[in-house]
């Protein structure tokens, strides 16, 4: 969920029981981010007067639905807003839309026109009606060249006229999204897209009220302006401390929301987060120190771990000196012992990675995207041994690049953000590159919001980051690196209006781009072949250096809270949770 950067191994999530909420305030103030009890809330309703407290880890830079790029902001958005459909463990379900119809376009191309019919009882948190015009505004807002939404590609790749509007070659009126009336929204796609409903469940497709969003940057952080249509509404935001969400009495499904509210904490330090849980101040958290995972697994029945749809990796700026050399990228990638990271640092079930798309992603045959051995373990691919460094091969590539034994190799900065076990991981890799290649790299840590700004600026060479699925299809991973996509690594064969500073072109990206486009409009085994072709191009050019396939790990105090767990893409949807103790 872009750059929905993954919070290292921990796709933050959690809940915690506090004692009730403070009165609404504006977003001034501070705090140290530690768990704090809340006071009694007398007007939220629901089955309990107590708030769930959820540690999201990093403080989100934004939770504007059309601007957010992080999983942290995504968790907030999912609880504030309700899309036309919603992703659940039982599949995509109708939400603010009660039904939809699928038909042919004017040229007779089947399955390209979606018509959504909204429920009759939809209102915003301030009592104003939610209409199809709000969805039309939000979707076109995401495609606006002025907005420059990093997630615009989730619309411009699919909706007719959207890319032309985004690139300045077309107009807003030509984007094929239209409110036929207050209750009916129609959208025409460029081609049939079997997973379009999965896209619509994502936060970029959430509705937005024009009168509030047009007031200027930061509107979503002000309780007076952040009107929402989901299970909760914004009650308070304290910079550096927490967000309070309280039950939205105007939500169409409010009768089935049992929480008075949710307190969202910003505790990025994994040890502090675990201490809060063990002290009874935090009842659910997925921000956990890797060194404690074995103990929790053995001793704590509240701990659980499951494979995730994500990958943590180093990415290379394809326009930066030195790392724009394929031999350098291969040397750096092959010199890493990934099993040391998963077995000695993470110890949470994460799997060493030899490619980009994680094993849980399936092809049309039901088989994994990954090559697996007879025991279901990942195997060597693209010259990467997931269980051991290939030192001799790495040294040979470095010598071919002109740096035998590391001689003459310039000092490079490795950029990462402060969260979870990121520091331990990059320090371990720094040592491996020193010992196995004879090169020195400097580590540069930034807060997440600053990190994203640096990545967007292009002023970096190597960065440790990751990606978790926006929807349950391999395309959610592979669409990242298309010429007109997010493409943080600046690997493009043609200019892109969304990143005007990316002027160094990479011809090899065209084959990747074409394969992804074909995968978007084909099906079955033909589509499988295009997905694999795209990943082949990505990995053979070593645009990213995969480190491990992630897991969802968390502790949940089942004696105090109950709920269905995460959505298929790892989000926490608190409308389905209950305080039970």
């Amino acid at each position: 969920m872009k750059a929905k950067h993954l919070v290292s191994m921990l796709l933050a999530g959690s809940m915690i029981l506090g004692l009730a909420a403070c009165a609404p305030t504006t977003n001034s103030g501070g705090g140290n981010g530690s768990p704090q009890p809340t006071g009694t809330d007398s007007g939220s309703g629901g089955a309990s007067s107590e708030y769930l407290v959820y540690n999201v880890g990093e403080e989100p830079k934004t939770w504007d639905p059309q601007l957010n790029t992080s999983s942290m902001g995504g968790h907030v958005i999912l609880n504030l807003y309700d899309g036309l459909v919603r992703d659940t463990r039982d599949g995509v379900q109708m939400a603010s839309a009660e039904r939809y119809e699928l038909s042919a376009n004017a040229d007779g191309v089947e399955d390209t026109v979606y018509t959504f019919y909204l429920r009759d009882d939809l209102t915003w948190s301030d009592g104003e009606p939610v209409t199809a015009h709000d969805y039309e505004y939000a979707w076109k807002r995401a495609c606006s060249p002025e907005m420059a939404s990093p997630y615009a590609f989730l619309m411009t790749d699919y909706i007719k006229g959207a890319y032309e509007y985004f690139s300045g070659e077309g107009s807003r009126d030509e984007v094929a999204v239209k409110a036929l009336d207050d209750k009916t929204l129609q959208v025409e796609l460029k081609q049939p897209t079997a997973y379009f409903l999965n896209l619509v469940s994502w936060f970029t497709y959430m509705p937005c009220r024009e009168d509030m969003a047009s007031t200027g940057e930061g509107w979503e952080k002000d309780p007076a302006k952040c009107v929402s249509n989901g299970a909760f509404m914004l009650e308070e935001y304290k910079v550096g401390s927490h967000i309070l969400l309280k039950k939205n009495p105007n939500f169409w499904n409010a009768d089935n929301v049992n929480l008075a509210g949710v307190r969202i904490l910003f505790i990025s330090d994994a040890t502090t987060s675990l201490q809060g849980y063990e002290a009874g101040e935090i009842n659910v958290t997925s921000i956990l120190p890797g060194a404690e995972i074995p103990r929790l697994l053995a001793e704590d029945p509240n701990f659980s771990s499951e494979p995730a749809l994500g990958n943590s990796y180093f990415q290379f700026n394809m326009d930066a000196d030195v790392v724009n050399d394929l031999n350098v990228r291969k040397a750096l990638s092959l010199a890493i012992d990934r099993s040391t990271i998963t077995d000695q640092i993470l110890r949470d079930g994460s799997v060493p990675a030899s490619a980009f798309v994680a094993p849980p992603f399936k092809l049309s045959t039901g088989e994994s995207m990954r090559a697996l051995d007879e025991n279901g373990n990942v195997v060597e691919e693209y010259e990467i041994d997931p269980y051991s460094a290939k030192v001799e091969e790495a040294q040979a590539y470095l010598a071919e690049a002109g740096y035998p034994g590391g001689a003459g190799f310039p000092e490079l900065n490795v950029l990462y953000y402060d969260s979870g076990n990121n520091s331990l991981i990059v320090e371990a890799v720094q040592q491996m590159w020193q010992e196995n290649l004879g090169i020195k790299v400097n580590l540069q840590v930034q807060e997440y919001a600053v990190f994203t700004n640096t990545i967007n600026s292009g002023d970096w060479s190597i960065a440790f980051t990751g990606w978790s699925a926006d929807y349950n299809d391999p395309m959610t991973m592979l669409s990242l690196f298309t010429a007109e996509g997010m493409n943080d690594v600046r690997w493009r064969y043609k200019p892109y209006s969304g990143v005007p500073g990316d002027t160094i072109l990479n011809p090899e990206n065209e084959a990747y781009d074409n394969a992804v486009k074909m995968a978007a409009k084909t099906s079955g085994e033909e589509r499988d072949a295009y997905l694999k072709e795209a990943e082949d191009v990505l990995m053979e050019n070593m645009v990213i250096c995969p480190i491990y396939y992630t897991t969802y790990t968390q502790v949940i105090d089942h004696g105090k809270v109950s709920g269905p767990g995460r959505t298929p893409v790892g989000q926490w949807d608190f409308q389905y949770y209950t305080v039970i103790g």
Side-chain angles (χ1 to χ4, degrees):
M1 291 121 334
K2 204 209 153 35
K4 182 183 88 173
H5 294 284
L6 191 68
V7 183
S8 176
M9 71 156 182
L10 304 165
L11 201 79
S14 315
M15 308 161 281
I16 326 164
L17 213 47
L19 288 174
C22 307
T25 67
T26 62
N27 62 332
S28 60
N32 58 14
S34 60
Q36 301 174 29
T38 56
T40 298
D41 180 275
S42 60
S44 296
S48 172
S49 63
E50 295 185 290
Y51 275 37
L52 273 171
V53 184
Y54 159 66
N55 178 26
V56 74
E58 292 294 319
E59 181 170 359
K61 177 182 178 182
T62 180
W63 49 92
D64 181 323
Q66 280 75 55
L67 278 181
N68 177 65
T69 62
S70 75
S71 58
M72 295 79 77
H75 293 304
V76 178
I77 293 169
L78 187 64
N79 287 281
L80 284 172
Y81 296 92
D82 194 50
L84 297 171
V85 300
R86 211 161 184 90
D87 192 18
T88 75
R89 286 182 175 261
D90 295 322
V92 175
Q93 305 288 330
M94 303 312 298
S96 283
E98 62 180 4
R99 62 187 177 90
Y100 74 98
E101 295 174 353
L102 187 55
S103 58
N105 64 15
D107 296 323
V109 181
E110 294 289 342
D111 299 339
T112 52
V113 178
Y114 283 78
T115 305
F116 295 93
Y117 299 91
L118 274 63
R119 298 177 184 275
D120 291 331
D121 52 350
L122 299 180
T123 58
W124 290 99
S125 53
D126 64 354
E128 292 293 317
V130 176
T131 73
H133 300 280
D134 296 320
Y135 284 91
E136 178 184 354
Y137 167 72
W139 293 16
K140 289 183 176 179
R141 179 176 185 253
C143 302
S144 163
E146 292 78 22
M147 171 67 65
S149 170
Y151 257 139
F153 69 94
L154 286 185
M155 294 189 181
T156 59
D157 284 357
Y158 301 97
I159 298 175
K160 183 178 178 181
Y163 177 72
E164 288 76 11
Y165 176 42
F166 183 79
S167 63
E169 300 171 359
S171 70
R172 182 181 186 276
D173 291 341
E174 292 172 315
V175 179
V177 177
K178 184 175 180 58
L180 303 183
D181 55 45
D182 284 352
K183 297 295 181 183
T184 312
L185 183 75
Q186 190 171 87
V187 55
E188 181 180 346
L189 305 185
K190 298 177 184 179
Q191 69 240 346
T193 304
Y195 52 92
F196 183 65
L197 288 183
N198 296 85
L199 293 173
V200 175
S201 72
W202 192 240
F203 54 70
T204 313
Y205 282 82
M206 296 294 184
C208 188
R209 262 254 301 273
E210 183 174 7
D211 61 329
M212 298 300 175
S214 61
T215 60
E217 183 179 355
W219 65 272
E220 79 284 3
K221 298 177 180 179
D222 183 348
K225 296 178 180 179
C226 185
V227 294
S228 57
N229 74 322
F232 302 95
M233 55 194 289
L234 182 64
E235 181 175 16
E236 179 181 74
Y237 167 47
K238 290 275 190 179
V239 176
S241 176
H242 64 268
I243 297 169
L244 291 183
L245 306 181
K246 66 178 178 180
K247 181 178 176 178
N248 176 11
N250 291 322
F251 178 47
W252 68 266
N253 198 30
D255 288 347
N256 293 312
V257 176
N258 293 319
L259 296 180
V262 182
R263 184 182 185 94
I264 300 174
L265 304 179
F266 311 144
I267 304 174
S268 61
D269 182 76
T271 299
T272 303
S273 179
L274 178 60
Q275 289 172 345
Y277 158 72
E278 292 182 330
E281 297 170 326
I282 295 178
N283 297 110
V284 183
T285 183
S286 63
I287 307 300
L288 303 167
E292 294 295 324
I293 296 297
R295 177 182 66 82
L296 292 169
L297 181 62
E299 300 175 1
D300 193 337
N302 287 327
F303 174 82
S304 62
S305 175
E306 59 184 312
L309 298 173
N311 188 343
S312 284
Y313 52 88
F314 287 92
Q315 61 183 20
F316 303 108
N317 185 340
M318 298 295 283
D319 293 346
D321 292 340
V322 183
V323 297
N324 59 6
D325 186 325
L326 176 58
N327 288 315
V328 169
R329 298 195 299 273
K330 286 188 173 183
L332 293 171
S333 186
L334 270 58
I336 298 172
D337 183 349
R338 291 155 175 82
S339 63
T340 294
I341 294 169
T342 57
D343 297 348
Q344 297 183 25
I345 297 176
L346 299 176
R347 295 190 288 183
D348 64 344
S350 295
V351 176
S354 54
F356 185 51
V357 180
F361 285 105
K362 306 297 183 184
L363 298 171
S364 66
T365 59
E367 297 175 301
S368 170
M369 269 284 290
R370 293 275 53 81
L372 304 174
D373 65 17
E374 63 275 11
N375 297 315
N377 299 316
V378 296
V379 299
E380 180 174 327
E381 294 184 84
Y382 307 109
E383 301 183 73
I384 297 173
D385 184 342
Y387 307 107
S388 177
K390 298 176 72 173
V391 178
E392 291 184 4
E393 293 88 341
Q395 291 173 344
Y397 277 122
L398 195 64
E400 191 169 344
Y403 308 103
F409 193 86
E411 288 190 9
L412 299 176
N413 289 329
V414 174
L415 181 68
Y416 71 100
Y417 55 93
D418 183 19
S419 181
N421 293 288
N422 283 3
S423 293
L424 296 176
I425 293 168
V426 296
E427 288 167 3
V429 172
Q430 178 189 43
Q431 183 176 351
M432 292 174 194
W433 285 339
Q434 172 71 46
E435 294 177 354
N436 296 337
L437 295 176
I439 65 175
K440 179 180 179 180
V441 296
N442 303 312
L443 304 183
Q444 181 181 3
V445 61
Q446 296 179 343
E447 293 182 353
Y448 181 75
V450 179
F451 173 90
T452 59
N453 288 336
T454 303
I455 293 295
N456 291 337
S457 74
D459 186 20
W460 58 280
S461 296
I462 307 172
F464 182 63
T465 184
W467 190 262
S468 60
D470 299 335
Y471 49 95
N472 193 357
D473 187 275
M475 189 66 77
T476 190
M477 307 296 291
L478 296 173
S479 63
L480 294 182
F481 303 104
T482 60
E484 297 167 357
M486 193 166 297
N487 212 332
D488 283 344
V489 297
R490 299 182 169 230
W491 183 50
R492 293 185 172 89
Y493 75 94
K494 63 179 182 180
Y496 176 53
S497 59
V499 186
D502 186 5
T503 57
I504 300 175
L505 302 184
N506 310 98
E508 68 276 10
N509 172 253
E510 185 170 11
Y512 176 89
D513 194 85
N514 290 337
V516 171
K517 288 179 178 177
M518 291 302 297
K521 61 183 179 182
T522 54
S523 61
E525 294 188 13
E526 180 183 10
R527 180 174 190 260
D528 295 342
Y530 284 120
L531 291 170
K532 291 296 294 180
E533 179 181 339
E535 188 177 42
D536 286 346
V537 177
L538 178 76
M539 291 305 306
E540 286 165 2
N541 284 280
M542 208 64 74
V543 176
I544 59 102
C545 167
I547 301 299
Y548 61 90
Y549 303 121
T550 56
T551 58
Y552 301 141
T553 59
Q554 54 271 319
V555 284
I556 303 174
D557 189 342
H558 296 292
K560 294 184 178 180
V561 296
S562 66
R566 302 173 188 255
T567 69
V569 296
Q571 293 185 302
W572 293 94
D573 192 346
F574 294 120
Q575 69 171 290
Y576 303 116
Y577 278 76
T578 303
V579 172
I580 59 176

